């Protein structure tokens, strides 16, 4: 389809259950953390609600991966079961024979014995009921009764009810007062906000391999309005919009393309035209019916204004709010505090923080930070367009991406693009130029910022992309590295080389022998590469 045209490795809005594409917004993060905490031990009833298409099913898949390994998950997708079927389904899913001829009491006894054996083995049993808004009142009561089954260590089974907003109304009925009291956690997924839709689209495009902005801001706004922030609709419309851009041979998606995609996906065109015609008709009828009243009102207003202007005195002893404030120092102090809070940038510290946050919002594309890093290396395209990792072949360097921490980056000793996330879980990127135990210098939006190291560790997402010397099968360290540089590289990584027999380095042969011994002793290819890279001594480093 359009993958090659936009430089994608795969379809970004395919809608298939792929955890790599799951966008963890603020409410998704809170829901996942709340449910994981409560379902990691026995005896909890939890409820997850949200509108259709908001991503509940995908969040449940993420939840299953987050739960402890010794957890038995029983997923029931059909809400049209009765109390008898509920018990039988739980038993059969656990490997216990259960027939339709057995009574509820017999099935409950079998379930008790199963749960007792599971608890003794350290297994946590969790039953997930999807589309739970369709459960009957009898089944909801049966869930409460099953959850009350206790052993020596307390209650022995968990339930997670997943459904639309109607689920909350169902369990709030007076007849379910006891069930409501047993619920330990209520998690809710809401539709994405406008800013989250922007982050969601860019996140999925970047995961699919495209690091350049494709959807314009006006296109994102149209997508938000047309989808109401629901990920399922966003996926369908965004996928169709990319197809339309591909067919038009355009490298971007415009507002017009999104609206056209909405017409195809949502069948909104005829309803829109009908609604528009109705609106115009009502406006015309209302306008012509009230013209006499409008004219009369305007005449009366003009007369009142003229009378007030003629009879009222022109000199009024009035004072502005500011002049009144200056009369009292305490009032002036609180006034200035309120103005400073409402007007970002009025004070130097507030202004710097505001500019820093603006730089974060402008640094959501990894390609921009990579372009900055490659410029620092010393390469720039002649045509002025953004550089990428493929351009580094011309100057003997290459990009490497590793998942590690800032301490490892200190060893790697290269300026790098860091993958970061703010407190709203929105991804952004920055170039790390300097790092020590207390502070760091980062570049965002072509501006350099000095931040505390603890802040950088707080927002760091674990992915590092740096530019190093290009190594291949023919690269020989003894030909590229000097004795001094190689000794300095070994000294940098000495904490990781305690199991490697040291060799006195005096000439090129010693370098070759030492590096071959290190390559055989270490399993980490990234560390071996970094030792080679530091020994060569070409390019820019965090520390000389």
């Amino acid at each position: 389809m359009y993958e090659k045209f936009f430089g994608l490795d795969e379809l970004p809005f395919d809608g298939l259950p792929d955890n790599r594409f799951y966008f963890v917004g603020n409410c998704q993060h809170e829901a996942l953390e709340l449910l994981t905490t409560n379902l990691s031990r026995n005896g909890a009833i939890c409820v997850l609600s949200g509108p259709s298409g908001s991503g509940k099913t995908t969040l449940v898949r993420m939840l299953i991966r987050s739960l402890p390994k010794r957890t038995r998950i029983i997923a029931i997708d059909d809400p049209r079961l009765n109390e008898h079927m509920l018990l039988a389904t739980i038993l059969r899913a656990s490997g216990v024979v259960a027939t339709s001829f057995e009574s509820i009491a017999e099935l409950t006894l079998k379930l008790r014995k199963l749960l007792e054996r599971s608890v003794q083995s350290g297994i946590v049993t969790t039953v997930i009921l999807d589309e739970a808004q369709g459960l009957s009142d009898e089944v909801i009561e049966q869930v409460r009764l099953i959850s009350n089954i206790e052993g020596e260590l307390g209650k022995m089974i968990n339930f997670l009810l997943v459904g639309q907003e109607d689920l909350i109304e169902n369990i709030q009925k007076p007849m379910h007062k006891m069930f409501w009291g047993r619920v330990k956690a209520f998690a809710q997924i809401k539709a994405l906000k406008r800013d989250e839709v922007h982050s969601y689209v860019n996140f999925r495009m970047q995961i699919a391999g495209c690091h350049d902005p494709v959807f314009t801001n006006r296109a994102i706004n149209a997508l938000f309005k047309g989808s109401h922030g629901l990920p399922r609709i966003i996926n369908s419309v965004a996928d169709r919009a990319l197809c339309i851009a591909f067919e038009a041979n355009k490298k971007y998606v415009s507002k017009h393309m999104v609206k056209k995609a909405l017409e195809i996906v949502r069948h909104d065109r005829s309803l829109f035209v009908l609604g528009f015609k109705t609106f115009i008709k009502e406006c015309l009828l209302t306008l012509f019916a009230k013209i006499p009243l409008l004219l009369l009102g305007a005449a009366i207003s003009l007369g009142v204004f003229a009378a007030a202007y003629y009879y009222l005195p022109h000199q009024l002893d009035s004072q502005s709010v500011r002049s009144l404030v200056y009369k009292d120092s305490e009032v002036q102090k609180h006034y200035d505090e309120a103005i400073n809070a409402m007007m970002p940038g009025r004070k130097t510290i507030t202004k710097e923080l505001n500019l820093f946050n603006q730089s974060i919002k402008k640094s959501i594309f990894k390609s921009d930070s990579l372009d900055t890093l490659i410029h620092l290396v010393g390469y720039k395209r002649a045509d002025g367009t953004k550089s990428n990792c493929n351009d580094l072949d011309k100057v003997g360097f290459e990009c490497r991406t590793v998942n590690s921490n800032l301490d490892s980056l200190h060893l790697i000793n290269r300026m790098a693009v860091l993958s970061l996330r703010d407190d709203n879980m929105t991804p952004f990127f920055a170039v790390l130029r300097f790092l020590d135990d207390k502070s760091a210098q980062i570049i965002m939006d072509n501006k350099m910022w000095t931040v505390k190291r603890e802040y950088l560790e707080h927002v760091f997402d674990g992915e590092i992309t740096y530019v190093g010397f290009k190594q291949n099968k023919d690269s020989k360290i003894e030909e590229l590295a000097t004795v001094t540089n190689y000794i300095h590289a070994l000294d940098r990584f000495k904490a990781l080389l305690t199991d490697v027999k040291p060799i006195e380095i005096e000439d090129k042969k010693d370098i070759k022998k030492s590096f071959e011994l290190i390559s055989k002793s270490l399993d980490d290819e990234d560390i071996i590469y970094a030792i080679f890279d530091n020994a060569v001594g070409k390019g820019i480093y965090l520390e000389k």
Side-chain angles (χ1 to χ4, degrees), residues 306 351 428 489 521:
K351 182 178 180 180
F428 67 101
S521 302

Side-chain angles (χ1 to χ4, degrees), residues 179-404:
F179 178 88
W180 182 267
R182 283 277 290 112
V183 177
K184 279 193 174 182
F186 289 92
Q188 185 179 15
I189 299 182
K190 300 178 181 178
L192 299 178
K193 298 178 182 178
R194 189 187 302 272
D195 292 342
E196 290 178 320
V197 171
H198 196 280
S199 300
Y200 175 85
V201 171
N202 291 330
F203 170 75
R204 292 188 73 108
M205 290 291 289
Q206 292 185 37
I207 292 296
C210 179
H211 299 290
D212 294 320
V214 174
F215 287 77
T216 66
N217 290 333
R218 296 181 68 185
I220 294 292
N221 291 337
L223 184 58
F224 168 72
K225 292 178 181 178
S227 66
H228 304 292
L230 297 176
R232 184 183 299 165
I233 301 176
I234 293 173
N235 290 345
S236 300
V237 176
D239 180 71
R240 175 51 55 186
L242 288 171
C243 289
I244 294 171
F246 168 66
E247 292 168 358
N249 198 30
K250 299 291 186 181
K251 285 290 186 179
Y252 62 89
V253 174
S254 65
K255 176 182 178 181
H256 173 72
M257 294 174 185
V258 170
K259 286 190 172 182
K260 188 174 180 181
L262 280 164
E263 291 174 4
I264 296 172
V265 174
R266 303 289 290 166
H267 303 288
D268 287 339
R269 184 169 186 175
S270 59
L271 293 176
F272 171 78
V273 172
L274 180 61
F276 181 75
K277 289 182 178 179
T278 304
F279 172 75
I280 294 296
K281 183 178 179 181
E282 292 294 330
C283 287
L284 291 174
L285 288 174
T286 302
L287 182 63
F288 284 108
K290 294 185 178 181
I291 281 179
L293 291 176
L294 291 174
L295 292 174
L296 178 61
I300 294 173
S301 299
L302 184 62
V304 171
F305 174 78
Y309 183 81
Y310 182 81
Y311 289 106
L312 289 178
H314 296 288
Q315 300 296 327
L316 297 177
D317 186 16
S318 61
Q319 294 178 321
S320 67
V321 175
R322 183 177 295 274
S323 64
L324 289 173
V325 167
Y326 282 144
K327 290 184 178 180
D328 191 312
S329 59
E330 187 66 23
V331 174
Q332 172 65 28
K333 176 183 176 182
H334 291 294
Y335 176 81
D336 287 338
E337 290 177 354
I339 290 297
N340 288 332
M342 291 186 293
M343 298 176 60
R346 196 168 185 263
K347 284 190 173 181
T348 303
I349 297 176
T350 312
K351 182 178 180 180
E352 289 294 319
L353 182 60
N354 186 46
L355 292 174
F356 182 74
N357 289 330
Q358 288 180 8
S359 291
I360 289 178
K361 292 180 180 180
K362 295 179 181 179
S363 303
I364 60 175
F365 294 104
K366 186 177 181 180
S367 58
D368 293 336
S369 295
L370 279 175
D371 179 56
T372 301
L373 178 62
I374 292 170
H375 284 184
L376 291 174
V377 172
Y379 178 82
K380 189 174 183 180
R381 283 185 175 180
D383 59 4
T385 58
K386 282 196 293 188
S387 306
N388 57 52
C389 291
N390 294 330
D391 296 324
L392 293 173
D393 288 338
K394 305 169 186 176
V395 289
F397 288 92
E398 64 179 345
C399 288
R400 288 183 67 88
T401 300
V402 297
N403 289 298
S404 189

